[in-house]
Amino acid sequence: MTKSIKVTDDGLKKLKDELEHLKTVGRTEIAEKIKVARGYGDLSENSEYDDAKNEQAKIEARIADLEAMLNNVEIIKDIKGATKTVVVGVKVKVYDEEFDEEEEYYVVGSTEADPTNNKISDESPVGRALMGHKVGDIVTVEAPAGEIKLKIVKISK
């Protein structure tokens, strides 16, 4: 059985938009590059042609990946009102006693993860540790640098 891909409505729209862009603009642009490269003559020694064909293969692989994802999406509904436990689609404020600092994360599906914007996947070490816990709980995260203990301070939408 194929694993479902968890996405928010916004994440689903981004996946669909990327797929549409690749199928229309991406394919058209690469077809033009291949056509131009063919005009340079002998294909056996034509690096522009090879590069364009490699780029075409990457685009087609990404299209196949996106189509597979979209066939297995599980849309995470917007959470109405307060939630008492950490689930995909919530913001979680945690306190790290060791570093005496608070951090806020938005828990999302793996395709929407963006650590630079504090969007963490439910499959990441921190996300996995937080899932299902409540305000006041202290969770232990297994990280490459060792265990990290985080106290859940707030859960919000």
Side-chain angles (χ1 to χ4, degrees):
M1 182 174 158
T2 307
K3 185 181 100 173
S4 68
I5 308 293
K6 295 177 183 170
V7 294
T8 60
D9 285 332
D10 187 42
L12 180 63
K13 182 182 180 327
K14 286 179 183 174
L15 290 174
K16 286 181 175 180
D17 287 350
E18 180 183 357
L19 179 60
E20 183 62 25
H21 177 79
L22 289 175
K23 281 183 163 183
T24 55
V25 177
R27 280 180 171 163
T28 302
E29 287 176 353
I30 198 62
E32 185 59 31
K33 283 182 184 179
I34 290 170
K35 180 180 168 187
V36 168
R38 276 191 179 142
Y40 294 146
D42 185 5
L43 298 182
S44 65
E45 296 178 12
N46 188 330
S47 64
E48 287 87 358
Y49 180 77
D50 292 340
D51 290 345
K53 290 299 279 182
N54 287 337
E55 189 177 338
Q56 181 184 38
K58 287 178 186 174
I59 287 173
E60 293 304 323
R62 182 62 181 160
I63 287 171
D65 287 347
L66 288 168
E67 287 175 336
M69 280 186 229
L70 289 169
N71 286 331
N72 295 300
V73 295
E74 177 185 337
I75 299 172
I76 306 303
K77 297 295 179 198
D78 278 344
I79 291 141
K80 307 292 183 212
T83 179
K84 298 197 183 297
T85 59
V86 177
V87 294
V88 175
V90 299
K91 285 186 182 170
V92 183
K93 185 179 282 189
V94 296
Y95 175 70
D96 183 337
E97 289 181 4
E98 183 180 344
F99 292 101
D100 188 33
E101 64 184 18
E102 284 188 346
E103 194 72 51
E104 189 169 63
Y105 300 110
Y106 183 41
V107 183
V108 296
S110 60
T111 61
E112 295 177 79
D114 181 3
T116 57
N117 289 314
N118 287 359
K119 289 183 174 185
I120 60 169
S121 164
D122 61 325
E123 298 174 9
S124 69
V126 174
R128 192 171 37 251
L130 292 171
M131 293 299 289
H133 287 278
K134 301 175 185 153
V135 171
D137 287 357
I138 296 175
V139 299
T140 303
V141 179
E142 297 293 333
E147 286 187 349
I148 302 168
K149 293 202 182 301
L150 301 173
K151 181 177 184 177
I152 299 175
V153 177
K154 182 180 179 184
I155 301 171
S156 61
K157 173 56 188 128

